[in-house]
Structures are given as structure tokens and as C-alpha cells.
């Protein structure tokens, strides 16, 4: 079965610094991967998704992610963080190897703290 | 406007008192899902539905029931809630993107407290 690991429970970054959030997946074939953000007290917002093709994916709010099959990773990056980026970030993979019709398997999340 | 709605948004109840959380989508999607979110555990799928009258268990179905009598509605039923079901619940509707690819639309969430 598919699984997702987010190794970092908390990450603290200074405002204006670069960010990389790690995500590792477990799946035999090409996975369908997603990154979501949840601001405090809010719902889930899709940042970006990867299905196939170009391994560098651009998303909203200046985020990007790179799919690396050799490392089973789909890390999220942003060149310069803003205080408003403080939130919980979730990596997810389509369940059962499908396109995501029957839902997603989520990682446990990374809590991002922005230092002034 | 495309949306997934959930009601209620907040609910405090007592152990054993049956409750239903409603979920409705206006996008004519076939697939819908329920998740629960707990600190340190991320989101875990409870149930999903492939179409009217077709449902299947997710990863944490114990203590929950669902029904899908209409395409737009997918209620989550807790027949005898217990404190370990205190959680944040999300309903999702699945948008087809073509070529066997899909994207989840999430509702705003329902915060449930069982005392």
C-alpha cells in the first residue's frame, strides 16, 4: 500500500530565508503526489500536484516541488518565506495506485514556524 | 460556485448520543470521501464512495457509518460516539481531471468534541 513520510514534525525558518520540506513516498509505480497547506484554524488548500512529465512542478504562492524517483521524494521548496507561510503542510499520495479517485494517503504533516 | 459544504462546523456532544455530519457537493462528482485529522497523525481516510449506494472502508472506519443515497450528499454517521472520536473531520469531493487523474476538493471541516 502507498505511504507517505514527512520526516520533520516542526521546522523553523527565518522570514526571507529559503525553505525545503521533505516528503518520501512508498509506491512501486509512478505515484500521483500532492502538497496541501493548512493555515491555523483553516481548511486544506492544494499547493501543487504531480502526475507525470516534468519533475519540477510549480504551484501557488511561490511554491515548487521536485519529484525524484531515485530518492522516492517529492520535496516542497520556496526561495523566500513570508510570515504568512506559517502553517501545517501535508504531503499526500493517491491511494491504491489510482489517480486519486478513491482518495489520498497523507503524511503526518510538518509544522512550519517563521521567525521574524 | 463549486463547493463542498459540511454541517455543523462545530459540535460538542456526549458519549453515546447518535449524530450525523452532513456533506454536500454541487459539482456532480461521483467520488467522495471522509477524513479525520488528529494532531501528529495527519489526515486519515474513514470511508469513501464511488457513486450512489456504493461505499467502501478507508483506513479508520471503526465506529462510523456512511450512506450515499443521492450523488450530492455523503453523510457521516456516528451511532454511538466515544471520546476517541473527538477530531476534526473533512469531507472531500473528487474532481476528475481526465486521463485517470483526480483532484480532491475539501470541505471546511467539522470540529467534533465528544465528552
Amino acid at each position: 500500500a502507498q505511504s507517505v513520510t514527512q520526516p520533520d514534525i516542526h521546522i523553523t525558518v527565518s522570514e526571507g530565508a529559503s525553505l525545503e520540506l521533505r516528503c518520501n513516498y512508498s509506491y512501486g509505480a509512478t505515484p500521483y503526489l500532492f502538497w496541501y497547506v493548512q493555515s491555523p484554524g483553516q481548511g486544506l488548500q492544494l499547493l501543487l500536484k504531480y502526475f507525470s512529465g516534468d519533475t519540477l512542478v510549480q504551484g501557488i504562492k511561490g511554491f515548487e516541488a521536485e519529484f525524484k524517483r531515485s530518492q522516492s521524494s517529492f520535496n516542497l521548496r520556496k526561495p523566500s518565506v513570508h510570515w504568512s507561510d506559517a502553517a501545517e503542510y501535508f504531503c499526500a499520495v493517491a491511494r491504491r495506485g489510482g489517480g486519486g479517485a478513491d482518495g489520498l494517503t497523507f503524511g503526518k504533516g510538518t509544522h512550519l514556524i517563521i521567525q521574524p | 460556485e463549486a463547493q463542498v459544504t459540511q454541517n455543523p462546523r462545530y459540535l460538542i456532544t456526549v458519549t453515546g448520543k447518535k449524530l450525523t455530519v452532513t456533506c454536500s457537493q454541487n459539482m456532480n462528482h461521483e467520488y467522495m470521501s471522509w477524513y479525520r485529522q488528529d494532531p501528529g497523525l495527519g489526515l486519515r481516510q474513514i470511508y469513501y464512495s464511488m457513486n450512489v449506494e456504493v461505499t467502501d472502508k478507508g483506513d479508520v472506519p471503526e465506529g462510523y457509518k456512511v450512506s450515499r443515497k443521492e450523488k450530492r450528499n455523503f453523510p457521516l454517521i456516528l451511532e454511538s460516539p466515544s471520546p476517541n472520536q473527538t477530531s476534526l473531520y473533512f469531507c472531500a469531493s473528487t474532481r476528475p481531471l481526465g486521463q485517470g487523474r483526480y483532484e480532491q476538493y475539501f470541505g471546511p471541516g467539522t470540529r467534533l468534541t465528544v465528552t
Side-chain angles (χ1 to χ4, degrees):
Chain A
Q2 294 73 27
S3 66
V4 173
T5 301
Q6 294 180 246
D8 304 304
I9 298 173
H10 301 279
I11 282 192
T12 300
V13 178
S14 297
E15 190 169 15
S18 64
L19 169 70
E20 183 169 27
L21 301 182
R22 296 185 291 164
C23 172
N24 294 101
Y25 66 88
S26 172
Y27 180 58
T30 299
Y32 292 169
L33 294 158
F34 307 80
W35 273 101
Y36 285 85
V37 62
Q38 185 179 36
S39 298
Q42 301 297 309
L44 292 155
Q45 183 177 24
L46 178 66
L47 286 174
L48 48 78
K49 54 186 179 282
Y50 173 79
F51 293 119
S52 66
D54 193 347
T55 57
L56 187 61
V57 180
Q58 300 298 320
I60 63 172
K61 302 185 176 188
F63 286 93
E64 66 178 26
E66 186 171 11
F67 172 68
K68 292 186 177 180
R69 184 189 301 277
S70 62
Q71 299 176 20
S72 298
S73 69
F74 187 57
N75 294 348
L76 182 71
R77 302 194 295 244
K78 187 171 185 177
S80 176
V81 298
H82 185 261
W83 63 267
S84 60
D85 292 323
E88 191 84 14
Y89 290 79
F90 294 99
C91 182
V93 64
R95 292 171 62 82
R96 300 185 180 86
D102 56 357
L104 303 175
T105 296
F106 285 82
K108 295 183 178 181
T110 296
H111 184 60
L112 176 63
I113 300 165
I114 307 296
Q115 278 184 339
Chain B
E1 178 190 355
Q3 58 181 351
V4 178
T5 58
Q6 294 180 227
N7 283 291
R9 295 288 313 280
Y10 302 90
L11 178 61
I12 300 174
T13 189
V14 296
T15 299
K17 185 177 181 182
K18 181 179 179 179
L19 67 92
T20 299
V21 184
T22 65
C23 173
S24 182
Q25 51 98 357
N26 63 357
M27 297 165 280
N28 202 38
H29 290 163
E30 293 184 344
Y31 284 81
M32 298 181 72
S33 293
W34 274 104
Y35 299 84
R36 61 178 287 173
Q37 182 183 4
D38 302 289
L41 296 178
L43 282 83
R44 294 175 292 168
Q45 192 185 59
I46 303 170
Y47 269 95
Y48 69 98
S49 170
M50 296 79 86
N51 213 324
V52 174
E53 302 291 3
V54 184
T55 64
D56 203 357
K57 296 177 180 179
D59 295 321
V60 288
E62 294 78 20
Y64 304 95
K65 286 178 57 177
V66 292
S67 70
R68 188 95 180 271
K69 293 182 169 46
E70 304 169 278
K71 201 171 191 178
R72 63 183 292 122
N73 296 323
F74 188 42
L76 179 69
I77 303 156
L78 286 71
E79 296 211 321
S80 184
S82 63
N84 65 10
Q85 292 179 299
T86 292
S87 188
L88 179 58
Y89 291 87
F90 288 100
C91 178
S93 180
T94 304
R95 172 191 173 203
L97 301 175
Q99 298 182 297
R101 302 169 180 181
Y102 299 85
E103 185 177 294
Q104 306 285 303
Y105 270 97
F106 283 90
T110 294
R111 185 164 294 281
L112 171 66
T113 302
V114 183
T115 61

